[in-house]
Amino acid sequence: VPHTKFIVVTGGVLSGLGKGVASASLGRLLSQYKVVPVKLDGYLNVDPGTMNPIEHGEVFVLDDGGEVDMDFGHYERFLGITCKFDWNLTMGKVFDAIRKKERRGDYLGQTVQYIPHVVDHIKEHILATAKTEHADVVLIEVGGTIGDMENELYVEACRQLKKAVGHENVVYVHLTYIPVPSGVHEQKSKPTQQSVSLLRERGIQPDIIIGRCKERLSDKIKKKIAIFCDVDEDAVITGEDTDNVYKIPGLFHDEGITKILERKLGIPISPPLAKWHALLTRKPEKAINIAICGKYTKLEDSYASVVEALKHAAMHEGAQIKLHWIETTDVEQGKRTAHDAISGMHGVIVPGGFGARGAEGKIDVIRLCRERKIPYLGLCYGLQLAVIEYARDVKGLANANSTEIDPNTPHPVIDLLPDQHDITEKGATMRLGGHDVRIKKGTKAHAMFGDTARLRFRHRYEVVPSYVPKLADGTLVFSGTNKSGEIMQILELAGHPFFMATQAHPELTSSLDRPSPFFHEFVKAALGKG
Ligand code: GLN
C-alpha cells in the first residue's frame, strides 16, 4: 500500500448494533495488511478502568497495561494483533493533553478552542498513530450514535481527515438499523435515511452503508437506500443478525463488501475466510451446561471475553455451550442453594470480580465443585476465592478470607500486593497488563503451556506468600508464579478431573484462531474428555 488508507466507521439510528464487531470484521477481511484500529470514545473518563462493568461492559486490558473499551477485545480476536493503549482515544485523554499543552505554553497568545485546537489534536493523534505504526490501514471507530453531542468533535475530525490525507484514501462506512415492524412485515429505510442525513449535515457522505437487520436486505430496499442516500447500489450491505459473531466477516464478504473496499481503497484484498470456515460449518456434537457465577450477570457484556473464550474452545471441540448465569448474591442471601444453582452443570466458572457482595455465594459454589469433582475454572477473583475455600475447609483456617472482603479476618490468606499499600488513586493503579508466568514442571499447567506463558492481569490482591507453604500441600499445587516466584498466578488440584484457577485473565488472550489453553482444557473436561 503506497499510502495509508483510512476507514471511518460511524453508527446511526441506535446504539447496540454491534459497531465494534462490524469494524473488527472489516479489519479481518483486510488482515493481510497491517491494520491499526483506533477507537474514539466520547466520555470524559481517561479510560474505562474506573467504570462499572454493568454500565459500560467489560473493561478490556491490553498487554501494555492499558485499560480500554471492550471493542479492543473484538479487534484483537478478529485481527490476531496486540493493540496499544494509545489507540483508544477518550475525551478524558484529549482534554488532559490539551490542558497540558496550554499550561506548557504551546498555544501562547491564542484562545484555545474546540475548533481548531481540540479537533486538530484528535486528527494529529490519528495521523501520528498511522505513522508510528507504519499502518497500511487505520480503522477508526467513532463511538456512539451520529447526533450524540459528546462525539461531535470526533466526527468533525474524521470529516477533516479526507482533506488531510486525500479523499481517495478515506472510506466512510455507516452502520444503521433496518427495522421490520411487526404487522407491516416490510424492511423500513426511513431511520437509515434520517441518520445519513445527520451524517451529511456534518459533511460526511458515506461510501458504504451496512444495514443491520434480522433478515437479508431485499434488492428493493437496497435500491431505495442507494438512491436516497446517494451511495452505489452494491455498497448497501446487509448486516444480518447472527448467532455467532465469527460468521460476520464471511457474511459481509458474501454481500460483496470486499469488492467495494477494493474499488474504493484501490488495493487488492484476499480475506482469510477459509481459516474459520471449517469451524463455523461444523455441527456441534454435544451440548454442555456451563455456569458463570458473578454479580454482574445482569449484563452479559460485563463478561464478554469470558463468553467468547468459551465459544472458541467449544467450536474447536464441536461442543455447544449452554450458559447459565448464576447470581451469587442469591446464593449468599439464601434465595437458592449452591447445590441447586449448579445442579446439572458440566463445568463452573468464577470470573473476575471486586468487593464482598456475592463472594460467600461463590465460595459455596467452589466448595461443591471441589468436593463433587465438577470441572472448575477460576479467573482472578476465582483463584482468590478458591484459595479461601481451601484454607477454610481443608486447612482448617477458620474464617480465612481476603482483606478485600473482611479486613479483620484472623487468616488473611489474600491481601493487597505489597506495592499496592500506598496507592490512593483509583485510575490505572492495579497490577495491570501482560506478565510472563513461570510454570512448574510436571503440572497440568506445564502440559498446557510449557515453561512460560504470557498472560494478562488486572488485580490489587494476591495470595499472601507466608501462607503459601501451608496451603500448597501437594493436592493444592501453585503451578505458576511470576518470574521471581513471589506472586502465585496459577493453582491446580491434583486428583480432580479439572480444578484450575489463575490470577490472570486468560479470557483476554483467547481467540478462535488460538483458544486459551485454560478454556480449552476446561471445556474438554466438561465434555468428559479430560
Ligand atoms: N478484586 C480482586 C483483586 O483486586 C480480583 C480482581 C479481578 O478479579 N480482576 O485482586
Side-chain angles (χ1 to χ4, degrees):
V1 183
H3 244 287
T4 306
K5 305 290 178 180
F6 296 81
I7 299 177
V8 177
V9 182
T10 53
V13 184
L14 44 87
S15 62
L17 295 179
K19 189 152 33 76
V21 174
S23 303
S25 298
L26 294 176
R28 177 137 187 119
L29 293 173
L30 286 155
S31 56
Q32 78 204 84
Y33 296 108
K34 170 132 197 210
V35 179
V36 174
V38 171
K39 172 88 198 278
L40 307 174
D41 282 310
Y43 49 75
L44 291 171
N45 304 60
V46 170
D47 62 46
T50 52
M51 284 190 241
N52 187 335
I54 294 186
E55 198 145 308
H56 204 76
E58 167 189 82
V59 177
F60 198 79
V61 182
L62 298 174
D63 190 78
D64 69 8
E67 294 174 293
V68 290
D69 186 83
M70 62 182 282
D71 282 342
F72 280 88
H74 303 308
Y75 304 152
E76 290 202 339
R77 290 189 282 267
F78 277 60
L79 290 160
I81 57 173
T82 303
C83 295
K84 296 183 183 162
F85 183 51
D86 253 3
W87 303 353
N88 191 184
L89 208 53
T90 63
M91 272 301 162
K93 283 186 191 169
V94 171
F95 287 139
D96 249 8
I98 296 277
R99 245 195 75 257
K100 273 200 198 97
K101 284 196 210 171
E102 188 273 333
R103 290 291 88 179
R104 203 163 59 202
D106 288 14
Y107 304 112
L108 224 48
Q110 299 176 51
T111 309
V112 184
Q113 292 178 300
Y114 289 112
I115 298 175
H117 303 104
V118 176
V119 168
D120 279 354
H121 178 85
I122 296 165
K123 217 169 43 180
E124 281 155 18
H125 182 85
I126 295 170
L127 295 174
T129 304
K131 202 166 159 197
T132 47
E133 298 299 335
H134 305 285
D136 295 323
V137 178
V138 178
L139 187 64
I140 304 163
E141 183 189 339
V142 183
T145 308
I146 200 74
D148 289 348
M149 173 113 119
E150 62 173 17
N151 294 300
E152 295 287 13
L153 296 166
Y154 290 137
V155 174
E156 172 61 9
C158 290
R159 179 191 73 80
Q160 292 184 14
L161 201 60
K162 63 176 179 282
K163 197 161 249 148
V165 302
H167 65 89
E168 68 284 6
N169 295 313
V170 187
V171 165
Y172 294 99
V173 179
H174 192 53
L175 175 69
T176 73
Y177 178 55
I178 314 282
V180 183
S182 61
V184 192
H185 299 304
E186 200 190 353
Q187 299 172 2
K188 290 295 189 185
S189 70
K190 188 70 80 198
T192 297
Q193 292 180 45
Q194 288 173 336
S195 157
V196 169
S197 120
L198 288 176
L199 198 58
R200 289 161 107 186
E201 266 175 37
R202 289 159 179 77
I204 293 180
Q205 167 61 43
D207 298 287
I208 297 172
I209 292 174
I210 302 174
R212 172 79 190 264
C213 189
K214 66 177 188 185
E215 58 197 33
R216 277 268 170 106
L217 297 187
S218 65
D219 288 344
K220 188 173 146 211
I221 199 162
K222 284 189 176 177
K223 205 167 272 169
K224 196 165 171 187
I225 291 172
I227 290 175
F228 282 111
C229 302
D230 209 10
V231 297
D232 301 337
E233 213 169 290
D234 62 357
V236 183
I237 297 289
T238 308
E240 198 178 345
D241 289 0
T242 160
D243 55 342
N244 187 333
V245 293
Y246 301 101
K247 288 182 184 161
I248 296 175
L251 289 173
F252 282 2
H253 177 80
D254 292 344
E255 282 279 298
I257 206 166
T258 311
K259 250 183 7 254
I260 301 153
L261 287 171
E262 282 187 323
R263 191 167 79 220
K264 304 261 177 203
L265 295 169
I267 53 173
I269 303 169
S270 34
L273 294 169
K275 273 197 188 162
W276 288 354
H277 186 77
L279 293 168
L280 286 166
T281 46
R282 177 168 178 186
K283 273 243 165 344
E285 294 133 38
K286 195 174 169 190
I288 44 175
N289 293 313
I290 301 293
I292 300 185
C293 306
K295 67 175 174 182
Y296 308 124
T297 52
K298 290 222 172 62
L299 182 69
E300 296 191 12
D301 263 6
S302 343
Y303 300 114
S305 293
V306 176
V307 176
E308 290 309 309
L310 276 172
K311 265 197 230 161
H312 304 149
M315 283 171 77
H316 279 268
E317 288 304 315
Q320 189 201 345
I321 296 213
K322 288 198 188 139
L323 274 185
H324 301 261
W325 297 95
I326 311 243
E327 192 68 44
T328 38
T329 38
D330 291 348
V331 175
E332 196 167 274
Q333 292 161 1
K335 285 189 202 150
R336 71 193 294 201
T337 62
H339 171 78
D340 166 59
I342 64 164
S343 80
M345 296 299 131
H346 300 98
V348 174
I349 292 182
V350 171
F354 294 85
R357 194 167 64 83
E360 288 299 330
K362 292 177 192 171
I363 291 171
D364 288 346
V365 166
I366 294 169
R367 178 169 312 122
L368 284 182
C369 290
R370 181 175 58 74
E371 290 174 348
R372 301 198 183 159
K373 309 234 184 285
I374 300 165
Y376 171 73
L377 178 60
L379 308 169
C380 204
Y381 213 25
L383 173 138
Q384 298 174 0
L385 298 174
V387 166
I388 294 167
E389 192 282 315
Y390 200 81
R392 287 182 188 173
D393 248 54
V394 181
K395 300 279 112 183
L397 302 175
N399 297 318
N401 218 328
S402 164
T403 52
E404 180 178 5
I405 300 165
D406 175 11
N408 303 315
T409 169
H411 297 292
V413 288
I414 308 290
D415 194 9
L416 282 174
L417 285 153
D419 56 6
Q420 285 284 330
H421 282 286
D422 300 328
I423 294 175
T424 50
E425 290 211 351
K426 291 288 181 215
T429 53
M430 285 187 243
R431 178 171 180 260
L432 286 167
H435 293 277
D436 290 330
V437 176
R438 207 173 73 190
I439 295 176
K440 197 171 179 167
K441 290 208 169 43
T443 60
K444 193 171 224 142
H446 197 270
M448 284 156 58
F449 292 100
D451 292 340
T452 52
R454 182 134 186 112
L455 295 170
R456 288 193 196 165
F457 293 82
R458 182 174 193 253
H459 64 126
R460 287 186 207 285
Y461 292 82
E462 63 160 348
V463 182
V464 172
S466 61
Y467 278 100
V468 168
K470 250 180 237 142
L471 295 163
D473 55 5
T475 300
L476 187 153
V477 177
F478 287 106
S479 46
T481 64
N482 68 333
K483 269 187 170 162
S484 59
E486 287 145 9
I487 311 177
M488 299 304 116
Q489 324 240 271
I490 303 176
L491 79 72
E492 53 193 78
L493 289 188
H496 189 291
F498 188 94
F499 190 107
M500 284 191 94
T502 171
Q503 189 61 77
H505 288 279
E507 69 274 21
L508 301 179
T509 41
S510 182
S511 66
L512 190 52
D513 294 317
R514 238 170 286 142
S516 154
F518 279 109
F519 285 84
H520 205 157
E521 293 307 311
F522 168 71
V523 165
K524 277 195 203 163
L527 282 164
K529 296 189 197 171

